Amino acid sequence: MPGTFEPLPGGGAAVALDDVEISIIRSLAVQLLELIGPGPAEGASDDPLAELFAEGPSEPPADPVLKRLFPDAYSDPEATPGPMETEEQRAYSSEFRRYTENDLRAGKRDNALAVVRSLDELSSASAGEGGAVLKLSPEGSQQWLGALNDLRLAIGSRLEITAEDDTDLLYRLPDEDPRKPMVMAYLWLGGLQETLVDTLMP
């Protein structure tokens, strides 16, 4: 089972991870949390309705990774609309972002936190053993799947991967290329994600 998720009886998934793999995934998840940013402060609002209708940003983020994680809802990079259509798309995207981005960030934050916490529990349980088998519930599997997808989007954005052809080129990068460690992480996370998807298939 090393490096691949396998289904557990009754639902969920399991994967064997060594200490280095645990450290890499945890570090990447923490970096993702830092990028997404903190949630609302504890006790910031005693009114649940105020929190429910709190407005998020109306403009897309400046960081290219965050743009990839939180894309405009109504933009079509393939289309070539006229000036009026572009302005209308921007208005729709701005309104959509204002009412959805806070929830999207919260969901991605929860997924990444679930990854960090499960890895911390695994490290505590297997102290000094060089690794252990991570066992996830069906809900935990879904959270890991979301976090792995976000991590790959983030790394792919940093590597400027835009098409399947770009992925093929990654396999041929020379070892001395400074992007090689990030490429290896991207490909490895892709393998984990694919096997986790397989465990969730009916």
Side-chain angles (χ1 to χ4, degrees):
M1 190 170 54
T4 61
F5 278 98
E6 292 186 1
L8 288 173
V15 61
L17 297 170
D18 63 32
D19 288 342
V20 173
E21 292 168 333
I22 291 170
S23 176
I24 291 171
I25 298 174
R26 189 187 188 285
S27 174
L28 291 172
V30 168
Q31 290 176 55
L32 181 64
L33 283 167
E34 291 171 349
L35 192 62
I36 292 171
E42 287 283 338
S45 173
D46 294 327
D47 182 358
L49 284 178
E51 185 177 331
L52 180 64
F53 293 104
E55 294 185 5
S58 58
E59 295 299 317
D63 188 292
V65 173
L66 290 176
K67 277 186 180 177
R68 188 85 173 268
L69 292 172
F70 306 103
D72 276 334
Y74 294 93
S75 66
D76 182 0
E78 303 292 325
T80 53
M84 292 298 290
E85 291 174 297
T86 301
E87 195 57 43
E88 188 177 34
Q89 284 177 344
R90 285 184 190 142
Y92 285 146
S93 290
S94 176
E95 184 177 13
F96 186 83
R97 184 180 295 280
R98 198 154 45 103
Y99 292 110
T100 62
E101 187 166 315
N102 283 348
D103 286 342
L104 290 173
R105 283 181 182 258
K108 292 179 185 299
R109 190 182 299 115
D110 288 346
N111 290 341
L113 276 171
V115 168
V116 171
R117 287 172 179 152
S118 61
L119 291 176
D120 286 348
E121 289 174 10
L122 189 66
S123 295
S124 297
S126 64
E129 295 181 13
V133 175
L134 174 70
K135 295 181 179 180
L136 300 172
S137 66
E139 181 186 0
S141 298
Q142 291 289 351
Q143 289 181 303
W144 263 74
L145 188 60
L148 287 173
N149 185 63
D150 288 340
L151 288 174
R152 290 193 78 239
L153 283 174
I155 296 172
S157 179
R158 293 290 189 230
L159 292 171
E160 300 182 344
I161 297 171
T162 56
E164 191 61 37
D165 290 343
D166 293 338
T167 306
D168 294 337
L169 291 172
L170 296 179
Y171 286 99
R172 299 195 289 273
L173 276 182
D175 290 342
E176 60 271 17
D177 192 301
R179 296 170 296 171
K180 189 75 171 186
M182 198 180 295
V183 166
M184 297 303 292
Y186 177 83
L187 297 174
W188 172 55
L189 292 174
L192 282 177
Q193 182 183 11
E194 186 176 342
T195 60
L196 183 52
V197 168
D198 289 343
T199 70
L200 298 174
M201 298 292 282

